[in-house]
Amino acid sequence: VRQRIADYLSALTDMGVAGFRVDSAKHMYPADLDAIISRVNQHAGVGHEPFFFFEVIDSGSEAIHTSDYTMVGAASGQAVSITDFQYRALFDQFAGGDLSVFSTFSSSTPALPSNQAVVFTTNHDTERQTGPIYYQDGVNYNLATVFLLAYPYGYPSLMSSYAFSRSNFDLGPPSDTMGHTNSIYAPGSTTPNCAPDPTTAAIGTWVCQHRDPFIAPLLAFRKAMVGADSVTNYWSQGTDQLAFGRGAKGFVVINRAAAALTHTFTTSLPAGSYCDVFAGALKAGACTGATVSVDSSGMANITVPPTSALVIYVGQKL
């Protein structure tokens, strides 16, 4: 049975499939999974092993833990990645809780090694549960996503979905009368048919969270932070405001409060003027949004509007 499954997955990799999500991995014996994945890795060859990530729901109090699976695939070239549901639960604080929980996380050892954790604010299951943050939380969901992409932990997974009612969470995606899923594009159009405001999206329409304007700049920020794997100059104030640096490469401020945040931060960035990439960018030699001046000692006086964020990094410096 192991060989039969391994042969099938190997055939898919030969066709060009680059990775696999293993649903409900916590219900499968780790030794069986290791035997299957090791054979697939060996078939693919060194440096070409597919990306595997396991769904292991581990709240910390269950009999099965993510740590039971961290060695799967390791001996054959690439250990699998695993969903980190304990980290995901922290993001619910953005919906109205206490953001200081992230200060505790920043100084503690997470549940999984960073290079094996798949991190996310929500997924197709949690957004249909009462309590977890999801697209209808609007700007608070955006701020949670900023933290997800800017913080140096795990491999981020972005949710992009469609509007539904939690009283009818089994509703399928936008589709025609025959049940065929509708394209994100209207017939003959190259403009995506996405809800302009996720919080008021009509039931059964595309929400397209991955197309929010700040997503691509934050992904560029994350890529630019390679080599700056630690958090520096972590700062928090009350339950709604936090900031942190990524060494001499970047700095992030999140303000969930209803009032503007103004503070002088130690950024550790080189002196110069930087463009905020959360609500702007560097274009044609100028900032389309806020400009932040960092002095020779790495200090910057920063103002962040209510329920907003500010993200600067060396790749967006004037």
Side-chain angles (χ1 to χ4, degrees):
V1 172
R2 290 173 171 179
Q3 190 63 52
R4 188 71 167 175
I5 296 172
D7 288 344
Y8 173 60
L9 297 180
S10 294
L12 291 174
T13 64
D14 290 343
M15 295 176 189
V17 173
F20 302 93
R21 173 188 181 272
V22 181
D23 186 58
S24 299
K26 70 175 293 183
H27 301 292
M28 305 177 201
Y29 190 48
D32 285 328
L33 288 169
D34 184 58
I36 293 166
I37 288 168
S38 293
R39 295 174 197 190
V40 178
N41 285 343
Q42 290 164 4
H43 174 85
V46 177
H48 300 282
E49 299 92 343
F51 176 70
F52 282 95
F53 83 92
F54 288 3
E55 183 198 33
V56 179
I57 301 176
D58 176 10
S59 64
S61 59
E62 302 182 31
I64 305 299
H65 301 289
T66 55
S67 57
D68 297 330
Y69 295 86
T70 53
M71 295 308 295
V72 173
S76 59
Q78 181 168 296
V80 300
S81 292
I82 303 167
T83 52
D84 191 337
F85 276 83
Q86 293 182 49
Y87 185 60
R88 194 229 62 78
L90 296 179
F91 288 99
D92 296 341
Q93 299 298 324
F94 274 94
D98 184 356
L99 299 189
S100 66
V101 297
F102 289 97
S103 176
T104 303
F105 180 85
S106 68
S107 61
S108 63
T109 302
L112 285 164
S114 180
N115 65 344
Q116 286 187 263
V118 173
V119 295
F120 51 101
T121 57
T122 187
N123 71 4
H124 59 284
D125 286 323
T126 64
E127 73 170 1
R128 285 165 170 76
Q129 300 166 1
T130 301
I133 194 168
Y134 73 131
Y135 74 89
Q136 287 189 13
D137 289 302
V139 67
N140 287 336
Y141 182 77
N142 292 345
L143 296 181
T145 304
V146 169
F147 192 98
L148 174 80
L149 295 177
Y151 196 84
Y153 174 64
Y155 187 102
S157 174
L158 293 173
M159 182 70 183
S160 196
S161 59
Y162 53 89
F164 63 93
S165 167
R166 278 183 166 170
S167 63
N168 182 20
F169 56 79
D170 286 333
L171 180 71
S175 57
D176 62 22
T177 56
M178 297 297 292
H180 304 127
T181 300
N182 294 336
S183 169
I184 194 174
Y185 301 103
S189 172
T190 58
T191 301
N193 186 22
C194 303
D197 181 357
T199 60
T200 58
I203 303 302
T205 59
W206 296 113
V207 178
C208 311
Q209 299 97 310
H210 72 292
R211 289 180 177 269
D212 284 340
F214 72 92
I215 293 293
L218 261 292
L219 290 173
F221 172 91
R222 190 175 186 92
K223 290 182 178 181
M225 294 303 108
V226 172
D229 297 327
S230 61
V231 170
T232 56
N233 304 315
Y234 195 96
W235 173 93
S236 66
Q237 180 169 273
T239 61
D240 296 316
Q241 299 169 333
L242 60 84
F244 58 90
R246 298 290 303 276
K249 289 191 172 185
F251 196 76
V252 180
V253 186
I254 294 176
N255 178 27
R256 194 188 57 183
L261 164 64
T262 298
H263 185 79
T264 299
F265 293 96
T266 301
T267 70
S268 297
L269 290 174
S273 297
Y274 296 82
C275 299
D276 169 38
V277 298
F278 176 72
L282 171 61
K283 290 187 178 180
C287 296
T288 61
T291 302
V292 175
S293 296
V294 177
D295 66 21
S296 58
S297 60
M299 304 293 290
N301 185 265
I302 294 174
T303 296
V304 181
T307 57
S308 188
L310 181 138
V311 181
I312 56 176
Y313 69 103
V314 290
Q316 293 279 293
K317 181 182 177 186
L318 290 175

